[in-house]
Every structure is written in structure tokens, then in C-alpha cells.
Amino acid sequence: EPEVTQTPSHQVTQMGQEVILRCVPISNHLYFYWYRQILGQKVEFLVSFYNNEISEKSEIFDDQFSVERPDGSNFTLKIRSTKLEDSAMYFCASRAHDRGNSYNSPLHFGNGTRLTVT
Amino acid sequence: GENVEQHPSTLSVQEGDSAVIKCTYSDSASNYFPWYKQELGKRPQLIIDIRSNVGEKKDQRIAVTLNKTAKHFSLHITETQPEDSAVYFCAARALGGGSQGNLIFGKGTKLSVKP
């Protein structure tokens, strides 16, 4: 079964440094997402991406964050200047095209990148 | 925007008993409600989902019910086993207010099944 893959599995960085988290969504999927999960808390939506542009973002996704699809397979999340509170597990997710307009295709998550900001 | 509330936050049952987790949502336009199971340190994995045109769906020991009028949905696990122990998240697909169908998650329920 195809999977969403994420690299690295664990990233340690110093406060103020830039990090890039990488994801390869499932190949025939069209919608891409980043979520984050602070330890012991719920999964929080960051941003969605469709047709080579951001379709929606949450209030968490401020100017320090950016996403990019640099080629036909990768989907990246960049945090420009990391803060201690950015420490979390970051999940990439993707889903296929919906049948009709019913937004009913399931979301598939990658294994996540644990980001630790020191 | 969409808001999902989930109860209880923790649930402990004896092996073989049933477990029920309940969620409510706020966006009446939402039409897709998945449930995810997350084991410690792992990704959320979809275990069952329900669309708004049905009221109940069952898959072996797992069932989900949806009440669109009351805007709540529930996960039912029967004959629980120790390997069912995990954190379970409900979610609703946000469609109102210009949302593009991203999932909004509840806070999770930590289920412990005691042998």
C-alpha cells in the first residue's frame, strides 16, 4: 500500500535557525497538508496546498512558515526562524481527488518529523 | 470555523468490554467524519470513517454512528482487546466559512484496555 513518507524522522535545531521538513505524498494524490502535534496534545491543522498554491492556513501558520512543492514529488515545510514553542511532531498528509464535490476522500498521514528546538 | 469536542479524555475498560467515545462538531456543513487511532510515537491511522449520507457504519468490532441533527458522532468498540489501547481522535472535515476541506481534530481519548 502506498504511503506518505517524511524525512528526517527527528530534527534537532537551535532557536533562530531555519529548518526544512520534507514529505513525499502518495503519488496520485492532489491535496497536501501539514499538521503539527505538540506532545500529548491534539493534531492541529497548519496548512493545505492544492494546485500549486496554499488553499487554506490556520492562525498557527504565520510568516515564519512557508510551504513549497519544488518538483513533482516533494512537499516541504520551512520554518524560517525556529522558536522553542515550535517543538512538536509535524505530520504531512495527503489525499486523493474527491468524488464529485463531496470532499470525502480519506486523509493519509506520514510517520512525522519530531522537531526539537533547543 | 469548525470546532470538534471529544469526550472522555481518558477511558479505561476491562478486556472484552465495550468502549464508546463521543464527539460533537459545530459546522453544519461538515460531511465527513473519520476516526484515527494513534499509538505512542506513531502516526494517526484511519480506522473508520462515515459520510453524512449514512447514520451508521460498522467494520468488525468497530462501529461509528452519526446524528446530523444533533451534530454528534460516536465510536463504538466491542469486545475490546489490549491491542486496542491507544489514543483515538475524531475529526470533522471543515467546509463552512470558506474552508477547503481540511480536517479539524478533537483532543483525543486515551483508551486503556486492561487484560
Side-chain angles (χ1 to χ4, degrees), chain B residues 32-47:
Chain B
Y32 174 70
F33 307 92
W35 285 88
Y36 284 84
K37 175 183 180 182
Q38 188 178 32
E39 295 174 348
L40 192 62
K42 297 191 176 180
R43 68 175 130 186
Q45 292 208 300
L46 179 70
I47 56 171

Side-chain angles (χ1 to χ4, degrees), chain A residues 13-19 79-83 117:
Chain A
T13 190
Q14 287 191 324
M15 195 168 52
Q17 295 296 304
E18 175 184 286
V19 294
I79 309 175
R80 188 149 43 93
S81 178
T82 50
K83 304 187 285 284
V117 183

